[in-house]
Amino acid sequence: MWPLTVPPPPLLLLLLCSGLAGQTLFQSPEEGWQLYTSAQAPDGKCICTAVIPAQSTCSRDGRSRELRQLMEKVQNVSQSMEVLELRTYRDLQYVRGMETLMRSLDARLRAADGSLSAKSFQELKDRMTELLPLSSVLEQYKADTRTIVRLREEVRNLSSSLAAIQEEMGAYGYEDLQQRVMALEARLHACAQKLGCGKLTGVSNPITVRAMGSRFGSWMTDTMAPSADSRVWYMDGYYKGRRVLEFRTLGDFIKGQNFIQHLLPQPWAGTGHVVYNGSLFYNKYQSNVVVKYHFRSRSVLVQRSLPGAGYNNTFPYSWGGFSDMDFMVDESGLWAVYTTNQNAGNIVVSRLDPHTLEVMRSWDTGYPKRSAGEAFMICGVLYVTNSHLAGAKVYFAYFTNTSSYEYTDVPFHNQYSHISMLDYNPRERALYTWNNGHQVLYNVTLFHVISTSGDP
């Protein structure tokens, strides 16, 4: 391992990277790097579980803490000097006024030449009274002089300490080093974002966002939108629906406010819709047609039949609901999950061109679709649950990059006992589900390798 202020040597850092939905929805900006567990693999790789913040300072380095303490002392000294300067200026103005008064009194005393009337004596007495505060001002001057001596000594000590730390840290100044560390952490975070692909090893406990609508439906965010765009789309029901609600933010969705309505020109079937790069992709009711509806122009950009795909409850998931065709988006693009007669009811995965909706490539997974509760894509891998009811788990994984599969056993807490929609959002690395009228999120944990030896 290495201190955070020193760039690591080139190596492979093996990480168990938790899903970032928590950072998106329930971010804690004040947290720094967190290392939960670590171990050494036989081949020398460092295996650890870590959460990497978007950006942090080297707050855990002893030298930086000492530097911040010294900087705070310098700031305190600076503030003390400012107060002293203001007070000295005020007192100086007072002393100059008293000097004028004393000269006036001296002139009158010399002019009196030993003889003063009662009136003149009283006037001089009143003037002398005005000079009484001068003694306390002079005492303050003495105290301020001692303060200046103390501050001068403190500044001298601070300068020596800063010089010693600068010499210890090397040729770079503290600010330069801090900027370099922040740039490194930003690069590592961006690398983790880009190379976030890996094998699914865990699904978190459910996070219920809202309870709204009927037993079946779908809700989603745009997987290609920038992080500042947090619009939520909501589609209640699983057939013949045409109304899509667009909420401005997740907070508005939770409160049920600030939304607009889109009326689709053609009704949908199932709940396997997805929003991708400003458009809604869905299955046209009673057909195997894929429709691409553009929200901004409120128009259908393209529609195309999916060759041989079953529809109208021919090959649905185990819960039915016209779920013959399921559209998904992961880190690599747009997918369609469906079944054909030629594949004997087994799940087919196809990469789609998002512009033309043409099938780019297809895979026969060999897994019967009617035995699947739901499915989702992560990093080109199709994950299938064995049920839509309580007790479900992620049971099957098909790897499109190797055209191979394996059976898995990833627990999946089905809190409300009836899932009718399950989709992965690569932007937030979270699973969106519609569970018996509840809109629910799950974080995911992926196992993958990140190289720190070069650019991501």
Side-chain angles (χ1 to χ4, degrees):
M1 308 301 288
W2 55 84
L4 294 181
T5 52
V6 180
L11 49 78
L12 289 178
L13 178 61
L14 203 57
L15 293 177
L16 281 172
C17 287
S18 298
L20 301 183
Q23 294 183 14
T24 302
L25 301 178
F26 312 100
Q27 192 173 9
S28 180
E30 70 276 4
E31 293 182 0
W33 290 54
Q34 301 175 40
L35 184 65
Y36 293 127
T37 61
S38 64
Q40 194 74 18
D43 59 359
K45 294 177 181 177
C46 174
I47 303 175
C48 58
T49 303
V51 174
I52 304 175
Q55 193 176 55
S56 64
T57 59
C58 43
S59 58
R60 301 191 178 189
D61 178 65
R63 295 286 84 183
S64 66
R65 283 198 300 271
E66 187 173 350
L67 276 173
R68 280 198 303 278
Q69 293 172 359
L70 291 174
M71 290 169 67
E72 290 174 0
K73 289 182 179 180
V74 170
Q75 185 177 8
N76 291 335
V77 170
S78 176
Q79 292 175 347
S80 299
M81 295 291 286
E82 289 179 4
V83 172
L84 186 61
E85 182 180 7
L86 289 174
R87 191 168 61 207
T88 302
Y89 176 78
R90 178 200 62 196
D91 292 344
L92 182 61
Q93 295 298 108
Y94 176 78
V95 170
R96 286 175 176 172
M98 292 303 100
E99 182 181 11
T100 302
L101 178 60
M102 291 176 67
R103 288 177 178 173
S104 174
L105 290 175
D106 181 67
R108 293 191 62 177
L109 287 172
R110 291 178 182 276
D113 195 23
S115 60
L116 288 174
S117 64
K119 181 179 180 181
S120 297
F121 178 79
Q122 186 61 41
E123 288 178 355
L124 288 174
K125 184 177 180 181
D126 293 340
R127 291 285 186 174
M128 291 296 295
T129 303
E130 296 179 25
L131 292 173
L132 290 178
L134 185 59
S135 58
S136 60
V137 171
L138 294 176
E139 288 298 323
Q140 185 64 57
Y141 261 120
K142 295 178 182 178
D144 288 345
T145 301
R146 291 191 295 269
T147 300
I148 290 174
V149 173
R150 178 179 59 81
L151 291 177
R152 185 183 295 114
E153 183 64 24
E154 190 168 351
V155 169
R156 185 181 298 112
N157 294 336
L158 288 174
S159 299
S160 300
S161 299
L162 287 171
I165 292 177
Q166 185 176 9
E167 181 179 356
E168 180 180 340
M169 295 182 74
Y172 298 110
Y174 169 69
E175 292 296 332
D176 189 15
L177 275 176
Q178 186 181 48
Q179 291 299 322
R180 287 169 176 264
V181 171
M182 292 173 67
L184 174 63
E185 292 181 354
R187 178 185 172 194
L188 287 176
H189 180 72
C191 183
Q193 287 284 76
K194 293 179 181 178
L195 300 181
C197 280
K199 183 179 179 180
L200 178 70
T201 59
V203 178
S204 74
N205 287 326
I207 303 168
T208 301
V209 176
R210 190 178 182 189
M212 176 183 178
S214 63
R215 191 177 188 184
F216 313 97
S218 59
W219 71 294
M220 65 217 81
T221 59
D222 191 338
T223 57
M224 284 287 288
S227 58
D229 185 351
S230 59
R231 287 177 294 171
V232 174
W233 285 270
Y234 169 91
M235 302 168 69
D236 192 11
Y238 64 87
Y239 76 107
K240 292 185 179 180
R242 294 176 58 197
R243 191 175 72 131
V244 182
L245 300 185
E246 176 186 314
F247 293 84
R248 188 177 60 183
T249 65
L250 179 65
D252 289 331
F253 173 69
I254 294 172
K255 298 176 183 177
Q257 64 183 19
N258 295 326
F259 64 88
I260 60 176
Q261 176 177 287
H262 300 270
L263 192 63
L264 301 178
Q266 299 161 332
W268 72 69
T271 59
H273 331 298
V274 69
V275 175
Y276 180 56
N277 200 21
S279 294
L280 172 70
F281 296 80
Y282 71 96
N283 175 209
K284 179 182 175 182
Y285 179 61
Q286 289 189 330
S287 74
N288 62 2
V289 172
V290 186
V291 179
K292 178 181 180 180
Y293 175 83
H294 189 242
F295 284 117
R296 179 173 294 180
S297 64
R298 295 178 178 264
S299 63
V300 173
L301 297 185
V302 63
Q303 55 183 333
R304 182 183 296 271
S305 294
L306 201 55
Y311 62 94
N312 203 28
N313 265 343
T314 303
F315 298 113
Y317 288 125
S318 60
W319 63 274
F322 298 89
S323 56
D324 302 79
M325 298 168 63
D326 193 0
F327 303 103
M328 309 171 183
V329 171
D330 71 352
E331 291 79 0
S332 55
L334 179 65
W335 301 83
V337 171
Y338 57 100
T339 294
T340 68
N341 285 319
Q342 291 77 9
N343 295 97
N346 293 330
I347 292 178
V348 175
V349 182
S350 292
R351 275 288 305 274
L352 300 183
D353 185 316
H355 304 291
T356 65
L357 300 182
E358 293 180 342
V359 174
M360 301 167 63
R361 185 179 174 184
S362 295
W363 293 261
D364 183 350
T365 67
Y367 192 92
K369 192 163 186 288
R370 285 184 175 272
S371 298
E374 271 287 348
F376 55 92
M377 294 288 297
I378 299 180
C379 304
V381 180
L382 178 72
Y383 293 96
V384 181
T385 66
N386 62 346
S387 174
H388 63 283
L389 302 173
K393 61 182 178 181
V394 181
Y395 180 72
F396 178 84
Y398 186 86
F399 304 88
T400 59
N401 63 332
T402 59
S403 299
S404 61
Y405 69 89
E406 69 177 22
Y407 289 94
T408 60
D409 188 11
V410 180
F412 185 84
H413 181 38
N414 188 344
Q415 184 173 5
Y416 303 106
S417 303
H418 196 290
I419 292 177
S420 60
M421 170 257 178
L422 177 59
D423 260 339
Y424 172 70
N425 186 311
R427 184 184 72 168
E428 299 168 357
R429 297 192 188 166
L431 295 175
Y432 279 62
T433 69
W434 187 293
N435 195 336
N436 214 355
H438 298 79
Q439 292 73 50
V440 182
L441 289 173
Y442 295 85
N443 291 335
V444 297
T445 300
L446 305 178
F447 186 78
H448 62 275
V449 176
I450 292 180
S451 172
T452 60
S453 59
D455 291 331

